[in-house]
Amino acid sequence: MAAEHRSLATDPEHACTIGVSVPIPEPFGAYLQRKRESFGDPLAGTIPTHITLLPPTQVDVAAMPAIEEHLSAVAALGERFWIRLRGTGTFRPVSPVVFVALAEGIGGCEAVQSRVLTGPLARELSFPYHPHVTVAHHLPEEVLDRAFKDLSDYRADFVASGFSLYVHGEDGIWRPHRHFAFPER
């Protein structure tokens, strides 16, 4: 949730920055956050481990009830799906990012993401959507290489049971604001 900031706000004086993501459950989330910290990524302690659905977006505070209603409707249409994390990937040379890759769950993330980016959250993305879990960002090349190699054999499987709305605090920390669960079917 650290890049690709955009604004949908019409009243910048009364705006906040939000993001929507699939949280990585424990014990996987904490493990990957510790790994990100070990690589020296200064954002590691400010961003919960996640798969982005809506990148950082500035919205009017007054729009939050409509946004939450929209996300509730998106969740109600969704269904749980498996996510299998396998190994690493990178966006280099386009962007200095190393990530843990999804071997399964890409289609599920894409389906939810396409619904999230409608209604009050409709916006264009700077890059094609590629679900991933960032583990190193804007670090020296040798550190990005180490992160890529260190997590190359990483494996985790879990069910995506919903997604969360996060708010970016004035202290620079992303905090979960509300979770939206997919219905149990």
Side-chain angles (χ1 to χ4, degrees):
M1 286 184 285
E4 211 179 316
H5 293 264
R6 292 292 163 99
S7 182
L8 299 176
T10 58
D11 182 8
E13 290 186 29
H14 298 99
C16 64
T17 301
I18 64 167
V20 178
S21 300
V22 174
I24 305 301
E26 297 310 329
F28 314 118
Y31 174 79
L32 291 174
Q33 192 157 19
R34 286 190 306 272
K35 293 301 288 183
R36 189 170 180 172
E37 289 170 354
S38 78
F39 302 133
D41 190 324
L43 298 175
T46 65
I47 304 173
T49 310
H50 67 282
I51 301 166
T52 299
L53 299 172
L54 172 75
T57 303
Q58 190 176 53
V59 298
D60 294 320
V61 171
M64 286 295 282
I67 289 168
E68 290 185 47
E69 186 176 315
H70 168 67
L71 293 174
S72 290
V74 169
L77 293 172
E79 54 187 60
R80 296 166 180 234
F81 58 94
W82 275 100
I83 292 182
R84 298 186 192 286
L85 301 177
R86 298 289 187 271
T88 50
T90 185
F91 293 129
R92 294 185 288 172
V94 175
S95 181
V97 173
V98 171
F99 57 85
V100 171
L102 275 70
E104 186 174 334
I106 293 171
C109 289
E110 289 173 337
V112 176
Q113 185 262 358
S114 70
R115 289 192 297 269
V116 166
L117 268 66
T118 62
L121 296 176
R123 60 165 280 194
E124 295 285 324
L125 297 178
S126 299
F127 299 100
Y129 180 63
H130 182 85
H132 65 279
V133 181
T134 298
V135 292
H137 188 236
H138 284 297
L139 297 170
E141 287 295 316
E142 62 274 6
V143 177
L144 293 172
D145 291 342
R146 183 166 48 94
F148 187 89
K149 184 178 180 187
D150 193 39
L151 289 166
S152 64
D153 292 330
Y154 184 76
R155 301 172 67 89
D157 298 350
F158 59 91
V159 173
S161 59
F163 55 87
S164 294
L165 170 63
Y166 294 83
V167 175
H168 192 237
E170 289 184 22
D171 58 359
I173 296 176
W174 286 94
R175 291 182 178 84
H177 177 73
R178 182 172 168 195
H179 186 74
F180 299 88
F182 298 133
E184 292 189 36
R185 299 177 205 247

